[in-house]
């Protein structure tokens, strides 16, 4: 799993996974693994057609329990059709076939999965997969619109070549996005109605036709914030420097290269934001450009002049309106606490997170961070090395209490 999707705090949450008869059914096994990695308990329900592609034993071997299949199971569990509605916090059907969409839209309950879905009291998360012509059929589209109108979370299928070798819309959506939609359904929506801007990654300041000034930031910390805020219900806008991680399509992404471009994008977004999280490692200086041609080696020494760039955090902090909140980051090689406290005062931030860079377990290009956190009320904490996903989640917890 991608580092910035590896959230672990879902112990005690339960998801019911419905699997229908599509060649994409094998991908549901990966979904079980992904949810189990978060700590989520997973149950599974396989239709008769799904069992032609995958077996109940495969799901059981990966830790799914219970696994339902037949409408009338052998044994004492005569109320299995009600179990997910009583025990699960979310229900995801992936892949969903045209037949299952029709059942769901029309309230039919003639197999175990449709019974469980009909008895489930919360919105379903539905990810279809089928032949493009089946997907575009008027009946399928009418059923799809009905399900959306009822408030279910409907994930559009992707475009590309399907198993039948046809090109078009109908293949199962990106598995990471399906996973995140399911995880969001398990997550308390304590940031619903909030609009959040994240800056992340490095900037590159061009010098000649092939060289630039930059730093080794990977953008992982900011990506963790972006995903965490979206999981908790926020609308998220990410201003992303070069080389930053994949983000789901549900997050609005603005790819930039230079500090100037990052400032312009952030400045344009900031007036309508509720929260700004500034994790980007923005170059404080930009070289005076040599030009578009490659500089050729000649003299033994090379002198490059630099000009300062706009301080994005300070500038937007000064423009902060009542009700807006700012989290800044301080990447340091020493004196982390002292520098974080200075930044808190100088940048008009509500919180500052300081971290030491240049270590294998903290800072740039590491999946973990050791941080010092402080806020405008004088609260201070030191957190030991932990996954960046956990740092992001805990910082958002703290911010919501300010």
């Amino acid at each position: 799993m991608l580092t910035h999707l590896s959230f672990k705090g879902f112990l005690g949450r339960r998801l019911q996974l419905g699997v229908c008869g599509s060649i994409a059914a094998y991908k549901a096994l990966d979904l079980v693994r992904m949810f189990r990695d978060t700590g989520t308990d997973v149950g599974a329900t396989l239709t008769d057609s799904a069992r032609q592609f995958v077996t109940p034993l495969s799901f059981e071997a990966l830790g799914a329990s219970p696994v339902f299949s037949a409408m009338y199971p052998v044994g004492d569990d005569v109320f299995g059709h009600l179990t997910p509605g009583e025990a699960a916090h979310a229900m995801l059907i992936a892949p969903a076939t045209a037949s299952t969409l029709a059942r769901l839209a029309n309230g039919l309950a003639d197999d175990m999965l449709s019974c469980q879905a009909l008895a489930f009291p919360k919105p379903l998360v539905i990810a279809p997969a089928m032949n493009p012509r089946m997907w575009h059929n008027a009946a399928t589209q009418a059923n799809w619109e009905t399900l959306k109108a009822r408030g279910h979370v409907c994930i559009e299928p992707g475009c590309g070549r399907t198993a039948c070798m046809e090109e078009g819309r109908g293949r199962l959506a990106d598995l990471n996005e399906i996973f995140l939609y399911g995880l969001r359904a398990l997550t308390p929506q304590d940031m619903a109605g909030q609009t959040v801007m994240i800056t992340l990654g490095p900037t590159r300041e061009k010098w000649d036709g092939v060289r630039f000034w930059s730093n080794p930031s990977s953008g992982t910390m900011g990506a963790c914030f972006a995903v965490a805020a979206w999981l908790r219900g926020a609308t998220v806008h990410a201003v992303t420097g070069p080389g930053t991680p994949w983000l789901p399509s549900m997050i609005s992404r603005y790819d930039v290269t230079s500090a100037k471009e990052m400032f312009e994008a952030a400045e344009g977004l900031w007036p309508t934001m509720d929260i700004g999280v500034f994790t980007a490692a923005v170059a404080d200086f930009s070289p005076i450009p040599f030009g578009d041609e490659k500089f050729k080696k000649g003299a033994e020494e090379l002198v490059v002049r630099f000009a300062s760039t706009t301080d994005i955090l300070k500038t937007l902090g000064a423009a902060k309106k009542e009700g807006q909140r700012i989290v800044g980051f301080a990447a340091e090689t020493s004196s982390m606490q002292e520098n974080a406290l200075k930044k808190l005062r100088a940048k008009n931030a509500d919180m500052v997170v300081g971290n030491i860079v240049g270590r294998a377990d903290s800072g740039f290009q590491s999946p973990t961070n050791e941080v010092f956190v402080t806020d405008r009320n004088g609260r201070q904490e030191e957190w030991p090395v932990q996954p960046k996903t956990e740092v992001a989640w805990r910082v958002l917890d703290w911010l919501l209490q300010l």
Side-chain angles (χ1 to χ4, degrees):
M1 188 186 299
L2 297 171
T3 298
H4 59 292
L5 307 185
S6 299
F7 293 91
K8 303 294 185 184
F10 288 82
L11 191 65
R13 308 296 285 178
R14 169 166 280 276
L15 177 132
Q16 187 69 23
L17 175 63
V19 185
C20 304
S22 163
I23 185 60
Y26 77 92
K27 295 184 179 181
L29 295 168
D30 286 328
L31 285 171
V32 173
R33 290 190 186 94
M34 294 166 80
F35 283 110
R36 293 287 291 150
D37 283 345
T38 70
T40 302
D41 290 323
V42 180
T45 305
L46 279 63
T47 65
D48 289 344
S49 296
R51 296 200 305 276
Q52 302 301 310
F53 295 94
V54 288
T55 67
L57 181 59
S58 299
F59 288 85
E60 292 169 351
L62 293 174
S65 179
V67 177
F68 299 93
S69 54
M71 179 66 168
Y72 304 104
V74 177
D76 298 329
D77 190 11
V78 294
F79 297 110
H81 61 297
L82 304 179
T83 299
E86 296 168 348
H89 300 92
M91 187 169 184
L92 164 65
I93 303 176
T97 58
S99 178
T100 294
L101 295 185
R103 286 187 174 94
L104 298 176
N106 291 283
L108 299 181
D110 58 350
D111 67 0
M112 179 61 87
L113 178 59
S114 58
C115 277
Q116 290 178 339
L118 198 62
F120 195 74
K122 300 176 183 179
L124 305 170
V125 182
I126 309 168
M130 65 193 73
N131 171 271
R133 284 176 287 149
M134 295 175 67
W135 170 249
H136 289 294
N137 185 279
T140 303
Q141 288 301 301
N143 291 332
W144 188 241
E145 292 303 318
T146 296
L147 294 169
K148 289 196 287 186
R150 289 179 185 160
H152 297 303
V153 179
C154 297
I155 308 171
E156 294 282 330
C159 283
R161 190 175 71 177
T162 56
C164 55
M165 305 303 287
E166 290 190 23
E167 293 280 345
R169 186 172 296 279
R171 62 186 300 165
L172 191 66
D174 183 284
L175 211 62
N176 285 321
E177 294 204 352
I178 295 172
F179 163 69
L180 289 175
Y181 272 114
L183 207 59
R184 194 186 208 207
L186 293 167
T187 304
Q189 300 295 281
D190 55 1
M191 294 186 73
Q194 298 281 301
T195 305
V196 181
M197 178 183 72
I198 318 283
T199 67
L200 59 147
T203 64
R204 290 179 181 175
E205 312 304 318
K206 183 179 177 181
W207 182 62
D208 71 356
V210 297
R211 300 176 181 89
F212 55 82
W213 176 263
S214 191
N215 61 68
S217 172
S218 65
T220 300
M221 189 71 255
C224 292
F225 271 103
V227 174
W230 182 83
L231 288 175
R232 297 172 73 152
T235 299
V236 180
H237 299 262
V239 182
T240 56
T244 46
W246 172 89
L247 291 174
S249 61
M250 304 83 78
I251 293 172
S252 298
R253 180 171 183 145
Y254 308 81
D255 289 321
V256 299
T257 300
S258 66
K260 181 176 183 294
E261 292 171 350
M262 183 170 282
F263 170 67
E264 290 172 347
E267 183 185 39
L269 291 167
W270 180 234
T272 60
M273 297 295 112
D274 299 300
I275 295 170
V277 182
F278 296 83
T279 70
V282 184
D284 296 323
F285 296 91
S286 181
I288 305 299
F290 170 77
D292 291 332
E293 293 295 317
K294 178 182 176 181
F295 179 83
K296 297 295 185 179
K297 184 176 180 180
E300 292 298 321
E301 293 184 349
L302 171 66
V303 177
V304 180
R305 296 177 60 231
F306 288 82
S308 61
T309 61
T310 301
D311 188 325
I312 299 175
L313 177 56
K314 183 176 182 179
T315 303
L316 299 188
K320 183 175 66 173
K321 299 180 295 187
E322 184 177 356
Q324 288 184 311
R325 287 166 290 176
I326 284 179
V327 179
F329 264 71
E332 307 294 343
T333 54
S334 63
S335 305
M336 177 177 66
Q337 294 189 19
E338 179 184 348
N339 289 321
L341 290 168
K342 286 180 180 178
K343 197 165 194 174
L344 179 71
R345 294 187 293 268
K347 307 300 173 76
N348 196 29
D350 299 281
M351 293 180 66
V352 166
V353 181
N355 65 303
I356 293 292
V357 298
R359 284 174 27 188
D361 63 351
S362 182
F364 294 148
Q365 299 185 343
S366 171
T368 56
N369 240 349
E370 180 179 349
V371 300
F372 168 75
V373 188
T374 183
D375 71 15
R376 68 187 183 213
N377 297 326
R379 179 181 169 188
Q380 301 176 13
E381 290 185 7
E382 294 181 62
W383 296 349
V385 173
Q386 57 194 285
K388 287 181 175 178
T389 48
E390 180 67 14
V391 172
W393 203 274
R394 291 180 62 182
V395 168
L396 292 176
D397 283 344
W398 187 329
L399 184 66
L400 292 177
Q401 297 171 10
L402 278 178

